[in-house]
Amino acid sequence: MLKPMLGPRPALNRGTGLADKVSQSGVLRSLNEWVDSVAKITKPSNVTWCEGSEEEFQSLVDEMVAEGTLIKLNERIYPNCYLHRSAPNDVARSEEATFICAANEDDAGPTNNWISPDEAHKKLLKLLDACMTGRTMYVIPYLLGPADSLYSQVGVELTDSPYVAASMKIMTKVGHVALEHLKPGFVRGLHSVGTLDAGNRYICHFPDERLIVSLNSNYGGNALLSKKCHSLRLASVMARDEGWLAEHMLIIGIEDPAGTVTYITGAFPSASGKTNLTMLKPPEYMKGWNVWAVSDDIAWIHLTSEGSFRAINPESGFFAVAPNTSMKTNPRIMEMVKENTIFTNVALSSDRTPWWEGMGEHSRKLWDWRGKVWMAGKSPGSAAHPNSRFTTSILQYPSLSSEYNNPNGVPIAAMIFGGRRSELVPLVYESFTWEHGVLMGAMLRVETTAAASGEVGVLRNDPMAMKPFCGYHIADYFNHWLTLRSRSARLPRIFQINPFRVGRDGGFLWPGYSHNLVVLKWIVERCQGKAEAVETPIGYVPTPASLKIEGTGVAEATLNELLRVDKVAWMDELESSRLFFESLGEKFPPALREELSKMIARLT
Ligand code: GTP
Ligand code: SPV
Ligand code: MN
C-alpha cells in the first residue's frame, strides 16, 4: 500500500520538465491535505492508500470473506469469484437521491434534482461527522482512459467500503499510474456507506468544485464514483465547457468480411442492451463478421482539429446486468465471468456457483439474492435480483479491440440511439441530417428498467439515454450537440434501433442478441453508401431485402411489422415530445423545434 506522504514511485521522475514536477508535487500536497481534512471529519480508524496491485485486491477480498461481506464461490468452477449481497434497500441507482449542486437551480435544469451548494455542504457535513468511526478509509487514486492520453482524467475516491475499493480496482486504473497523471483540478469523490439509511441517502455533485459526495448507499452507480458521477455527470459539464461529449454510450468496432473495421457508439438507457451489443458473438450465418469491444457503457468523444470524432472508454471494467445472460443469449459474457469476477445480488446454487433467471438449469435448492432458501415455483419473487450484476476486468474479454487503449481513441462513423419500446419504434432507421438525429436522441422515450429504483416498464423521456446522467440543463445539452455541426465536416451518421418490439402474445418480435448484428451490418453498409433504404416521414428505413434475415428465423411478415411506420401513432409520439420540450423552458433550441415541425409536416 502507498504511504500518503511518500509520494508515488515513478511519478516525479517522468521527464516532463521541472515546472511540471513542481506543480505535480504541489498537487500531491493538495491531495494529501484534502485526505487529512476529510479524515478529521469522518474519523476513520485507519487511512489506507490503494496502489491497485493484485496482492492488495486479494487482501481486501480475504478481509471481506472473513467478515462475511463476500462469499467465495466454487474455486474449481468459478476461480477467484465472489458473491456480494447488498442491503435489500440498496439494490439500484437512487435517482431520487441524486443531486446536481450547481450554483443556480437553472444550471441543473428541470430533469435534475437540485440543492444549493451551501445547503448541500451544510447537510452533508452533519451526516459526515464521524461517519467512518471504526472503519478504514481507502484513498483510491484512479485514472480514467488510456495512459498518456490528452482525453484521460484522474479522480480520487475516498471510501469506507472495501467492496468499493475492490470494485474500483476492476473498473479503473488504480494507484501509481493515476498519481503519475494527477493534475490540478482532479475530481474528488467522497463516499461513505454510513448507515445505509435510504431516507438520508445523498449522491451530490458539485460541478464548480469537481466534487462528489455520496452517503448511505454501497451500490454500483451510487458508490463507484468513477462511473456515473465522474465519467458522466461531472464530465458532461466539462465536455460542455471544453467542446466535447461525455455520453452513456457503448463503443464497438464492427469488422466486415473485407476486414474493414467501422467504429460506432450507441446510447441506450440502463439495462437496455449496451453490454450485450458490445459483446455480441456473430451468429453462424454471418461468417467473416466480428464485433470488437471498446466500451460497454461510457464514451468520451472528442473532436480532432480535422473535425473527426474520436472516442475513448474511460473505464477498465464492466459492471453489467446478469439476468438473461446465458450460453444461448451471450456465450462471450458467460465465458468471461467464469473467473476473477465479483457478482452482486445473484442467487447461489448448492454447489456454490452463481445463478440468475434466464441462465438455464439450476440446482433444486438455491439461496436467493437476500440469502434465503429459494425453490423454483414455490418461493415468491426472483432468485437473483432483476438488477443483479457482475464486475469483471475488460482485459478478460477475448474480443477486446486492439484499439481499446489507443490514447487517441477510435474514429466514430455512426451513433445509435435505442431503448426499450414495446411498440412504435422500428427495428432500425437513420436520420436525414445531424439536426434530425439530435432530435431523434432528444425525443428518446423508453420503458424504465430495474437499474434504477422505482417502477419498471413505465414510459419516460430519457433524452440521449442521459436523463439520469446529464450534469446540467438538458436543453443546454441539446444546444451543445447542435454546435458540433459547425465544427465538423465529418459528422457521424445517426440511427435509432429497437430490438424490443413485442407482438400480440407479449413475446419479442425480434430475436435480438447475436442477431442484432444484422442491424449493425445495415448501419455499417449505410456508412459505406451501400445498403438500401426507403424515405419515410421519420427517416430512412431499411428495405426488407437490405436486411439479411434468412438466418434469424424471422418471418417476412414479422420483419415488415418491425419496419412499419405507423403515422398516427407517430403523431401521438411527436405530441408527447412537444409537451416534454415545452416543459424544458426557454433554453430549448429553436433548431430542434424547427426539426419537430418538419417532422410533423412530413407526417401530415
Ligand atoms: P447498463 O449496464 O444498466 O447500462 O445496461 P446495458 O444497456 O448495458 O444492458 P445489458 O446489455 O446489460 O442488457 C440488459 C438486459 O437486457 C439483460 O437482461 C439482457 O439480457 C437484455 N438484453 C440485451 N440485449 C437484448 C436483446 O437484443 N433482446 C432482448 N430481448 N433482450 C436483450
Ligand atoms: C446504469 O444504471 O446505467 C449502469 C449501472 O450502468 S450503475 O453503475 O449502477 O449506474
Ligand atoms: Mn449504464
Side-chain angles (χ1 to χ4, degrees), residues 137-157:
M137 181 170 88
Y138 301 94
V139 180
I140 309 169
Y142 58 85
L143 172 68
L144 298 179
D148 298 317
S149 167
L150 284 175
Y151 307 147
S152 295
Q153 290 189 19
V154 172
V156 180
E157 176 165 353

Side-chain angles (χ1 to χ4, degrees), residues 262-520:
T262 305
Y263 293 93
I264 67 165
T265 64
F268 323 150
S270 304
S272 299
K274 291 183 300 299
T275 300
N276 277 274
L277 203 67
T278 304
M279 301 196 211
L280 184 155
K281 183 182 179 186
E284 285 297 320
Y285 59 86
M286 288 189 72
K287 290 245 155 24
W289 289 82
N290 197 18
V291 176
W292 299 98
V294 180
S295 175
D296 81 322
D297 199 47
I298 299 175
W300 284 354
I301 307 168
H302 288 259
L303 263 87
T304 63
S305 47
E306 295 91 54
S308 59
F309 285 54
R310 309 272 320 187
I312 64 160
N313 178 1
E315 302 194 282
S316 307
F318 306 115
F319 177 65
V321 176
N324 285 324
T325 310
S326 69
M327 285 310 281
K328 238 166 115 180
T329 60
N330 202 317
R332 285 185 169 175
I333 297 183
M334 291 303 285
E335 292 300 332
M336 179 185 73
V337 300
K338 277 242 153 125
E339 52 186 0
N340 314 318
T341 296
I342 300 176
F343 295 91
T344 298
N345 295 338
V346 299
L348 184 65
S349 301
S350 45
D351 62 354
R352 294 213 310 193
T353 57
W355 189 82
W356 48 78
E357 275 70 15
M359 187 205 252
E361 281 174 32
H362 62 85
S363 56
R364 214 170 61 79
K365 178 175 148 193
L366 292 167
W367 285 268
D368 74 6
W369 62 276
R370 293 183 195 85
K372 292 189 186 132
V373 170
W374 192 89
M375 308 282 236
K378 291 188 184 146
S379 306
S382 53
H385 189 277
N387 189 37
S388 53
R389 292 190 176 243
F390 60 82
T391 314
T392 308
S393 165
I394 198 167
L395 299 178
Q396 222 159 285
Y397 182 62
S399 287
L400 183 62
S401 164
S402 58
E403 298 302 293
Y404 158 68
N405 254 327
N406 185 336
N408 297 317
V410 295
I412 299 305
M415 292 172 159
I416 315 177
F417 296 113
R420 292 178 181 269
R421 282 306 290 264
S422 47
E423 295 174 341
L424 186 75
V425 178
L427 180 61
V428 57
Y429 68 108
E430 184 185 357
S431 73
F432 294 124
T433 61
W434 177 255
E435 288 72 18
H436 177 216
V438 175
L439 177 72
M440 219 181 221
M443 280 179 57
L444 203 64
R445 205 160 70 108
V446 293
E447 288 139 27
T448 52
T449 67
S453 53
E455 231 182 307
V456 170
V458 181
L459 255 187
R460 74 163 181 184
N461 287 97
D462 192 348
M464 275 88 166
M466 284 288 277
K467 146 85 180 76
F469 307 122
C470 182
Y472 61 101
H473 198 299
I474 200 83
D476 283 336
Y477 170 75
F478 298 156
N479 269 307
H480 179 53
W481 268 75
L482 291 169
T483 61
L484 301 180
R485 143 79 69 201
S486 65
R487 294 179 48 212
S488 173
R490 289 185 223 167
L491 291 162
R493 290 174 179 241
I494 298 182
F495 297 82
Q496 181 166 11
I497 73 167
N498 178 25
F500 297 106
R501 282 279 301 280
V502 300
R504 278 197 204 98
D505 63 353
F508 291 111
L509 290 176
W510 179 251
Y513 297 105
S514 66
H515 302 288
N516 289 331
L517 187 53
V518 169
V519 174
L520 294 178

